[in-house]
């Protein structure tokens, strides 16, 4: 079941909100658990058993880790839990590289990382062990962030699992955040995705078309994934949870290092705290530090899939981060901001072409076309048609990927009149976006979530 579907918006979500609202405080977690399992079952009926196994098994691991704390048995159980979690992830995520009949359970990369972080944190004594199976299972299966993040650690919401308050203000904030994320996904990302699909299906090879596709995919991926994160955070608010932010306007970055502090923040934080720092981080010799960065980026590429394009994508970012740390970063600091920004945007466009490629031949063809190789002409009939058709949407996407709209809204609310005006305009905007999205969905337009494949 997709957040951007009529069944979710007008059946599932109203029903769960209603039952959750009338349920006694002691049963609210159980209500969320039942509905979360049903939500997953609608899309992955067979693999729901795998999700239940992940919740129950990690509950057992943590109980025994806590019981044998301070003894060698606790470490043995922790290592076993990590091996089993990673084994399940690797089998289901990477076996299809060798066996065509194996399918990928949606969200397995996200909920596996969450369960692993929980058992590791129990071992480290960063969180208290959760002895209530319903509470832990609800955390693992919580439907807002189950299938595409953000990666919510137990420590992020441990206090909220047993004690959370919901009021009119938090519900309004949650609905607004959800609907704006829904609009980012359905109105902007889906529409840009149609141009990307047209480029893939076209035989026209021009410099303009290749760059148009690269720009549109970068914007599509941002609005698709950040839109999903906004929806997840908004849904969390509706149920009294505060989930961590996952994006912070990454396309305004002036270095690749800054970009990765702003893009998919919870994944970067996970690798930092559970891989990079345990390896020694940057408090080691230069050679070991380069090794640590290499390991993190090999794993980051591998996390997205066992294909050469992801390995190359991860390797490029690993090299760039090392180079920026050693010397390029200082040079970027001295350059005018717009030059640094152009460097980052070019890297992003090229690496996302690699990220999106279905084969190395396809990647090579698009990258070659972007610089006029392979007989690519500058423009063509189709590329000019799509440029004219999508120019306004691309401009909206570029502006929307910056803090400018938020800054303008904040500026308006600084005055007394503007503040009163926003009280009317914001709900009206939320309602208008919901109506437009509903029209798009009824029309049955292009509507996949890109990160479901990870």
């Amino acid at each position: 079941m997709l957040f951007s579907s009529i069944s979710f918006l007008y059946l599932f979500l109203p029903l769960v909100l209603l039952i959750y609202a009338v349920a006694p405080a002691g049963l609210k977690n159980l209500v969320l658990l039942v509905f979360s399992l049903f939500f997953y079952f609608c899309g992955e009926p067979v693999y729901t058993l795998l999700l239940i196994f992940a919740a129950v098994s990690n509950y057992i691991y943590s109980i025994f880790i806590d019981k044998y704390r301070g003894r060698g048995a606790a470490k043995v159980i922790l290592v076993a839990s990590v091996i089993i979690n990673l084994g399940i992830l690797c089998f289901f995520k990477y076996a299809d590289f060798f066996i065509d009949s194996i399918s990928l359970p949606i969200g397995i990369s996200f909920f596996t990382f969450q369960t692993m972080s929980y058992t590791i944190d129990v071992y480290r004594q960063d969180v208290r062990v959760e002895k209530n199976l319903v509470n832990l299972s609800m955390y693992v299966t919580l439907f807002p962030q189950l299938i595409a993040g953000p990666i919510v650690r137990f420590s992020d919401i441990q206090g909220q699992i047993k004690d959370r308050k919901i009021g009119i203000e938090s519900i309004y904030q949650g609905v607004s955040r959800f609907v704006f994320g829904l609009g980012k996904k359905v109105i902007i990302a889906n529409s840009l995705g149609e141009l990307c699909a047209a480029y893939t299906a076209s035989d026209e090879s021009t410099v303009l078309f290749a760059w148009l596709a690269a720009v549109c995919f970068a914007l599509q991926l941002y609005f698709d994934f950040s839109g999903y994160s906004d929806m997840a955070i908004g849904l969390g608010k509706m149920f009294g949870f505060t989930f961590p932010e996952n994006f912070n306007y990454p396309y305004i970055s002036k270095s690749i290092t800054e970009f990765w502090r702003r893009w998919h923040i919870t994944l970067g934080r996970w690798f930092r705290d559970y891989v990079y720092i345990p390896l020694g981080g940057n408090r080691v010799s230069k050679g070991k530090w380069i090794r640590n960065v290499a390991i993190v980026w090999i794993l980051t590429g591998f996390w997205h899939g066992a294909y050469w394009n992801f390995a190359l994508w991860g390797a490029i970012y690993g090299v760039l981060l090392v180079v920026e740390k050693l010397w390029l970063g200082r040079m970027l600091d001295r350059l005018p901001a717009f030059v640094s920004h152009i460097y980052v945007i070019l890297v992003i466009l090229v690496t996302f072409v690699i990220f999106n490629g279905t084969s190395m031949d396809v990647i090579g063809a698009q990258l070659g076309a972007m610089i006029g190789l392979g007989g690519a002409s500058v423009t063509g009939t189709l590329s000019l048609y799509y440029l004219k058709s999508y120019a306004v949407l691309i401009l909206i996407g570029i502006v929307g990927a910056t803090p400018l709209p938020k800054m303008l809204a904040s500026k308006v609310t600084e005055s007394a009149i503007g503040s009163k005006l926003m009280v009317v305009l914001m709900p009206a905007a939320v309602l208008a976006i919901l109506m437009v999205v509903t029209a798009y969905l009824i029309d049955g337009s292009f509507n996949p979530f890109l990160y479901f494949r990870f």
Side-chain angles (χ1 to χ4, degrees), residues 204-212 369 372 375-388:
E204 180 177 292
S205 177
T206 65
V207 175
L208 177 59
F209 210 176
W211 278 99
L212 267 179
S377 57
V378 177
T379 64
T381 304
L382 273 179
S383 56
L384 288 172
Y385 167 77
Y386 281 110
L387 176 61
K388 293 175 183 176

Side-chain angles (χ1 to χ4, degrees), residues 298-320:
I298 288 170
L299 292 176
T300 301
F302 193 60
W303 182 86
H304 286 87
Y307 298 98
W308 287 113
N309 63 313
F310 296 128
L312 177 59
W313 174 83
I316 290 171
Y317 276 112
V319 170
L320 284 173

